[in-house]
Amino acid sequence: MNLLCPHCRAFVVPGAQSCGMCGMSLLREAVPGSSEPVCAVHPHLLSLSACERCGSFACPQCLRRSDRGEALCASCHERLPAGLVAWDEREVHGTLKAYWNTCLDIMFRPMPTFERLRPTGSQGSSLGFAALSSFVGSFTTMLIYMGFMAFFPMPDETMRADNVNPQAFRYLGAGLFGVVILLTPLLGVLTTLFTSGLDHLLLRLMGTAQPFEVTLRGNSLSQAPFLLGLIPFCGIYVAPLWAFGLRIIAYKNMHGVSWGKATAGALAAPLMTCCVCGGGYLALFMAVAGISGGVGG
Ligand SMILES: [Zn+2]
Ligand SMILES: [Zn+2]
Ligand SMILES: [Zn+2]
């Protein structure tokens, strides 16, 4: 709901005591006997707006702005839940327990969790969640590949033909997977920043006024299903789809947009990636076709 300055009809923010446009005070004395609504707490002042939760009339001194931009009376604003997930309070719970509980809440109770979730949160905290998710998501599978490289008997003929020491080849392969495991948190952070940036760009184009940290928080927390990555191989394929569904719920609630816009926002990064990769493949294909055509002709 938009609040209007009673003097110049400019939009004012809940909580402001004076108009940013004309500079007039928004506090107006009630005229005895007038039919204009007065504040429920300060009966000598005219109400600027009714509270969007309880409907009681409130003067500018009593109005507060919620995280979602609603105009609330002071008592409703006080009763707002803090809207935190366990991850926000990991100093209290311990990092791993906070991560585990947050993942379960988001995976199995996404609607109530995102509905009451405070949209804003520090970017570092969001990226920390993303880093851990990407580590957890690929850890078991990578570990198995690593073990496979190190211990599985190799076809020795090819090794001898190339004059490569099979033992060295083995440890090199296992070592590479080890390095990949160590790099996954960094890759997770970079991917999350990139995809959140694309999503945010589209959400902004569609009219949301929320800052980037909101998109980043939604994008990171919706990576909770990567917990399934602990189950080797299968988790890695189920998690992205599940995360995509959760991202729509996250954007809808945290940006306060429609389901359609939230879906479009969540689709921005995957679509863009497909276009870029698809375009790349197409260009490569045309180049190869062109070269072979040139050679043939
Ligand atoms: Zn004004
Ligand atoms: Zn209220
Ligand atoms: Zn008041």
Side-chain angles (χ1 to χ4, degrees), residues 1 14 19 40 45-46 121 130 135 142 146-147 161 185 205 216 233 242 256 287-288:
M1 183 168 51
C19 170
L45 290 173
L46 287 180
F135 181 75
M142 286 299 168
M146 201 171 140
L205 287 176
L216 187 65
F233 303 106
W242 197 337
V288 169

Side-chain angles (χ1 to χ4, degrees), residues 8-282:
C8 72
R9 313 303 292 167
F11 291 130
V12 290
V13 206
Q17 311 277 304
S18 63
C19 170
M21 198 63 128
C22 68
M24 298 276 276
S25 169
L26 298 173
L27 300 171
R28 289 177 304 154
E29 292 290 329
V31 184
S34 141
S35 61
E36 277 196 87
V38 294
C39 174
V41 181
H42 308 99
H44 62 282
L45 290 173
L46 287 180
S47 156
L48 183 65
S49 163
C51 165
E52 288 188 58
R53 291 275 165 102
C54 70
S56 65
F57 288 114
C59 73
Q61 284 180 342
C62 294
L63 283 171
R64 305 278 186 279
R65 184 184 181 279
S66 78
D67 281 327
R68 292 164 215 287
E70 303 156 297
L72 302 181
C73 73
S75 63
C76 283
H77 189 261
E78 258 165 41
R79 278 199 300 274
L80 280 182
L84 300 177
V85 278
W87 180 253
D88 295 316
E89 300 173 307
R90 59 190 176 283
E91 287 81 10
V92 186
H93 305 290
T95 303
L96 286 184
K97 188 156 181 274
Y99 178 73
W100 175 259
N101 286 340
T102 305
C103 284
L104 293 188
D105 274 347
I106 288 175
M107 285 164 74
F108 299 110
R109 290 177 291 278
M111 289 302 284
T113 304
F114 281 120
E115 263 169 23
R116 58 173 275 283
L117 184 69
R118 195 181 69 194
T120 51
S122 94
Q123 304 197 7
S125 167
S126 300
L127 287 174
F129 190 87
L132 198 53
S133 295
S134 118
F135 181 75
V136 166
S138 54
F139 180 70
T140 319
T141 307
M142 286 299 168
L143 207 61
I144 288 172
Y145 278 132
M146 201 171 140
F148 186 84
M149 285 304 284
F151 302 116
F152 198 77
M154 296 268 175
D156 283 42
E157 300 77 36
T158 51
M159 296 300 158
R160 275 191 212 110
D162 287 330
N163 252 348
V164 182
N165 176 357
Q167 206 59 32
F169 183 81
R170 226 165 244 220
Y171 287 129
L172 184 70
L176 274 179
F177 278 109
V179 171
V180 171
I181 291 178
L182 293 179
L183 281 180
T184 46
L186 180 67
L187 286 174
V189 164
L190 293 177
T191 315
T192 304
L193 277 174
F194 177 70
T195 55
S196 304
L198 286 177
D199 293 356
H200 189 67
L201 197 68
L202 203 71
L203 285 161
R204 278 308 272 266
L205 287 176
M206 290 184 300
T208 177
Q210 296 280 48
F212 177 66
E213 62 175 311
V214 173
T215 309
L216 187 65
R217 182 162 156 91
N219 188 310
S220 300
L221 288 177
S222 64
Q223 293 175 28
F226 283 93
L227 187 64
L228 289 175
L230 289 176
I231 309 165
F233 303 106
C234 90
I236 253 179
Y237 299 103
V238 180
L241 275 179
W242 197 337
F244 175 72
L246 291 178
R247 193 157 299 158
I248 297 174
I249 302 176
Y251 288 167
K252 183 203 177 271
N253 284 291
M254 297 166 78
H255 280 281
V257 293
S258 66
W259 284 110
K261 286 181 179 177
T263 310
L267 268 174
L271 273 186
M272 187 73 96
T273 314
C274 281
C275 284
V276 170
C277 291
Y281 281 131
L282 197 67

